[in-house]
Amino acid sequence: MVIYGPLTPSQVAFFIGVVPVVCAWLYSEYLDHRKSTLVPKAGRSSDINLSELDGTASENDRAVLLEGGNFQAVSLGATNTSVTSYVFRFLTLDEAFLLENKLALRAMSEFGSLLIYFYLCDRTSILGQSEKTYSRDLFLFLYFLLIIVSAITSFKIHNDKSPFSGKSIMYLNRHQTEEWKGWMQVLFLMYHYFAAKEFYNAIRVFIAAYVWMTGFGNFSYYYIRKDFSLARFIQMMWRLNFLVLFCCIVLNNSYMLYYICPMHTLFTLMVYGALGIFNKYNEHGAVIAIKFLACFLVVILIWEVPGVFEVFWGPFTFFLGYKDPASNLQPPLHEWHFRSGLDRYIWIIGMIYAYFHPTVERWMEKLEEAEIKPRIIIKSSIVITSLFVGYLWWEFVYKLPRITYNKYHPYTSWIPITVYICIRNVTQHFRCYTLTLFAWLGKVTLETYISQIHIWLRSGIPDGQPKLLLSLIPNYPLLNFMLTTSIYIAVSYRLFELTNTLKSTFVPSKNDKRLGQNLLAAMVIGSILYCIGLVLLKLPAAMVPF
């Protein structure tokens, strides 16, 4: 087996940390099996499937569009027990502790094992690789075939009620937005797999739509729920960055290689800050208008005024900087400037749409109750106007060469998004229909985005762009596509579940003291493991005689 690139202290620290966790989990499974054998009729409180941890979203979360999930917390014992006690009981293999936390150990072991699979796929020669090839015919065939299969097998009509009026308006409902994310994500992933460069401009619009949903969903949550707690903030940061943090550690990659994650993190922070500052005045329309204006002014100052971007983001180069090994000509912050700048305004547009969402929904309610003739005239006018505006955008913006298009994209990406929203929600029946297969895929967009780089595609080197394909069946590209895609989707969904399970375990929602202890313990344990990894890597060199 050939390993591409030397090991780093962080990688060694990860492997050192995973081994005792896996051993403890296996021992807890043995203890549980022994307990069930000795007392076969007794119930086992810890023996539940991880899938049972999946809960359903509450009505108040109806517009939270970022990927997420509510999972029953995996208990870590009594809330008044110190973290030091947990660590001590873990290291001494306390049987009661291991049995009590078998699910948490299982989730951590599985998460670590999947990351090791990432490493084996992308950093060793155990599995093969192949070149990307593009055929427009095959590309479109596969995508439309998926749409047909989805329409036949997963077509569903939803009858959810509006949280504002209690009626079935369903304007921009969660089922619809998850479906929206799903079909965009499929094209986004296929674009990478087949190197379909002709769809570059479309992919830019899709990414803008994701960022629009970041503004829309987070504004809806914070404006309605008014939950600016530390626990909520950490939960959102965990959701966005937990998996990517460990990918950076295990694969020795820069944070900016996964540019979607820092982008969504930035715009989530900006929404949180915009609504969190003087949040008790958010009920006043004038205050919200001032906040929207302030957001625009901040973006203009940082991204439009020459030199300000470099000064503002310069201190953060250590984790936002990126150097492509294949092209080392650009400054470290070039990638961050390019990626964040493309969608610098659309998150604000998402917030504005979220603010007016109840007003639009009430208007649509009145429209649905109107006489049939004016209702048809108004809806027809909306469709015709939307199609006309969409056509003008297509002809004069979308068809531009990619470099020219990028210059116009920050100022025009809201147009196709608005056109899609108008047409998708034009009738009551149309907005209640979804293809649940795409909605299911829409829940795991973050995991599919991150995982594709390592277990579907392949770069082979730290910070390398995934220009190759993972090959499990050499010389059979379609069979290989089928197999690698099946594994890749299954792993991505499992990572989605594990991320939420571990979030529920280590990020308590109503205990800030325990949350602070967990964060401090994570930093201390991580530092100790890093030091051990550093020593182990330096030790062979120190033992070599001069």
Side-chain angles (χ1 to χ4, degrees):
M1 178 182 73
V2 178
I3 297 178
Y4 299 105
L7 292 175
T8 66
S10 297
Q11 290 173 318
V12 175
F14 172 80
F15 294 126
I16 293 174
V18 165
V19 171
V21 172
V22 173
C23 292
W25 165 60
L26 293 175
Y27 186 46
S28 72
E29 294 286 357
Y30 165 74
L31 293 173
D32 188 64
H33 175 72
R34 186 180 67 180
K35 179 182 176 181
S36 64
T37 302
L38 295 175
V39 190
K41 294 183 180 180
R44 293 177 294 160
S45 61
S46 62
D47 189 15
I48 59 175
N49 190 282
L50 280 177
S51 64
E52 295 175 4
L53 299 173
D54 189 8
T56 57
S58 66
E59 281 294 317
N60 288 333
D61 289 333
R62 50 109 188 119
V64 183
L65 303 181
L66 286 179
E67 304 89 344
N70 297 320
F71 289 77
Q72 177 184 335
V74 179
S75 174
L76 280 176
T79 56
N80 58 353
T81 307
S82 68
V83 175
T84 306
S85 174
Y86 289 146
V87 175
F88 178 78
R89 295 176 68 190
F90 170 79
L91 293 176
T92 57
L93 295 179
D94 182 279
E95 294 187 0
F97 175 81
L98 296 180
L99 283 171
E100 183 182 352
N101 297 285
K102 187 185 73 171
L103 285 179
L105 292 171
R106 180 194 300 173
M108 294 167 67
S109 300
E110 190 175 350
F111 184 82
S113 299
L114 291 176
L115 287 174
I116 292 174
Y117 176 66
F118 277 36
Y119 184 86
L120 294 176
C121 288
D122 199 30
R123 290 293 188 273
T124 71
S125 60
I126 293 177
L127 303 175
Q129 62 188 35
S130 59
E131 299 289 333
K132 296 181 181 181
T133 58
Y134 174 63
S135 165
R136 181 189 297 174
D137 181 47
L138 177 62
F139 182 91
L140 296 177
F141 167 78
L142 291 173
Y143 184 66
F144 287 116
L145 178 63
L146 181 61
I147 292 177
I148 293 171
V149 171
S150 180
I152 294 173
T153 61
S154 68
F155 180 82
K156 186 175 181 179
I157 301 175
H158 301 278
N159 295 309
D160 297 9
K161 304 297 182 181
S162 167
F164 301 107
S165 64
K167 298 183 179 180
S168 298
I169 299 301
M170 300 289 290
Y171 166 61
L172 273 178
N173 60 83
R174 185 162 187 172
H175 307 292
Q176 182 188 126
T177 53
E178 285 178 344
E179 178 204 65
W180 185 5
K181 288 189 292 184
W183 67 256
M184 288 194 303
Q185 186 72 355
V186 171
L187 278 173
F188 180 72
L189 296 172
M190 291 177 63
Y191 164 81
H192 285 154
Y193 191 90
F194 293 103
K197 296 180 181 179
E198 65 174 307
F199 291 97
Y200 174 86
N201 292 355
I203 300 305
R204 298 274 68 80
V205 175
F206 295 166
I207 295 175
Y210 291 133
V211 177
W212 180 92
M213 291 183 199
T214 295
F216 183 92
N218 280 285
F219 183 96
S220 297
Y221 180 87
Y222 291 120
Y223 188 73
I224 294 171
R225 296 287 295 273
K226 302 177 177 61
D227 180 9
F228 298 95
S229 64
L230 175 64
R232 170 63 188 179
F233 177 79
I234 297 298
Q235 286 171 353
M236 184 58 71
M237 291 300 102
W238 181 292
R239 179 72 190 94
L240 290 172
N241 293 289
F242 179 71
L243 176 59
V244 73
L245 170 65
F246 278 94
C247 284
C248 290
I249 291 172
V250 175
L251 282 304
N252 190 26
N253 285 329
S254 298
Y255 185 38
M256 266 308 299
L257 180 68
Y258 314 91
Y259 66 89
I260 292 293
C261 297
M263 277 179 54
H264 282 285
T265 299
L266 169 66
F267 298 129
T268 296
L269 289 173
M270 295 183 80
V271 175
Y272 182 86
L275 288 182
I277 298 173
F278 302 115
N279 60 81
K280 63 181 180 180
Y281 301 107
N282 285 344
E283 297 298 327
H284 302 283
V287 173
I288 292 296
I290 292 173
K291 289 187 175 186
F292 288 155
L293 178 61
C295 289
F296 277 113
L297 292 177
V298 168
V299 170
I300 291 171
L301 175 64
I302 294 177
W303 275 273
E304 304 286 0
V305 179
V308 176
F309 183 91
E310 289 74 16
V311 173
F312 183 84
W313 292 110
F316 305 99
T317 303
F318 69 97
F319 74 95
L320 290 176
Y322 173 75
K323 289 282 189 179
D324 187 348
S327 176
N328 202 25
L329 302 178
Q330 300 292 347
L333 286 176
H334 170 78
E335 186 75 3
W336 176 234
H337 192 186
F338 173 70
R339 298 295 183 182
S340 62
L342 283 174
D343 300 307
R344 56 187 180 268
Y345 292 111
I346 196 64
W347 64 279
I348 309 176
I349 304 299
M351 289 202 301
I352 294 173
Y353 282 29
Y355 179 72
F356 287 104
H357 181 275
T359 304
V360 174
E361 192 165 83
R362 285 191 291 268
W363 177 82
M364 294 176 71
E365 178 184 334
K366 293 180 180 179
L367 179 61
E368 294 298 334
E369 295 173 351
E371 297 291 333
I372 187 169
K373 184 176 180 180
R375 186 165 74 242
I376 292 176
I377 292 174
I378 293 174
K379 290 185 177 182
S380 299
S381 300
I382 292 173
V383 172
I384 292 172
T385 303
S386 298
L387 291 175
F388 178 69
V389 172
Y391 171 77
L392 293 178
W393 171 82
W394 174 274
E395 281 292 325
F396 298 103
V397 180
Y398 180 81
K399 289 185 176 180
L400 292 171
R402 58 184 294 177
I403 296 178
T404 307
Y405 173 82
N406 285 339
K407 297 178 181 179
Y408 291 95
H409 175 81
Y411 314 104
T412 60
S413 60
W414 63 273
I415 297 174
I417 293 172
T418 305
V419 168
Y420 175 81
I421 292 172
C422 290
I423 295 177
R424 184 67 175 84
N425 292 274
V426 71
T427 71
Q428 178 69 50
H429 295 291
F430 196 33
R431 55 181 170 263
C432 290
Y433 299 155
T434 62
L435 303 181
T436 56
L437 175 59
F438 285 120
W440 179 79
L441 290 170
K443 294 178 181 179
V444 294
T445 52
L446 183 65
E447 286 73 22
T448 53
Y449 166 73
I450 295 172
S451 300
Q452 62 158 335
I453 300 175
H454 306 298
I455 62 172
W456 202 43
L457 310 176
R458 180 183 169 91
S459 63
I461 56 175
D463 283 343
Q465 294 295 323
K467 297 181 179 180
L468 300 170
L469 305 177
L470 181 67
S471 179
L472 301 180
I473 309 178
N475 303 319
Y476 290 90
L478 293 181
L479 289 177
N480 182 71
F481 173 74
M482 177 187 68
L483 179 59
T484 56
T485 301
S486 300
I487 297 173
Y488 155 63
I489 296 297
V491 168
S492 297
Y493 186 73
R494 193 64 190 134
L495 285 170
F496 164 76
E497 293 185 314
L498 292 171
T499 299
N500 284 284
T501 300
L502 294 172
K503 178 183 69 176
S504 299
T505 304
F506 295 106
V507 187
S509 58
K510 297 181 180 180
N511 191 336
D512 287 350
K513 181 179 179 181
R514 170 50 53 82
L515 176 58
Q517 290 176 345
N518 290 348
L519 292 174
L520 179 61
M523 290 188 289
V524 171
I525 294 172
S527 300
I528 293 173
L529 291 175
Y530 181 85
C531 291
I532 294 173
L534 185 63
V535 170
L536 290 177
L537 288 178
K538 297 291 185 181
L539 194 59
M543 295 177 64
V544 175
F546 292 98

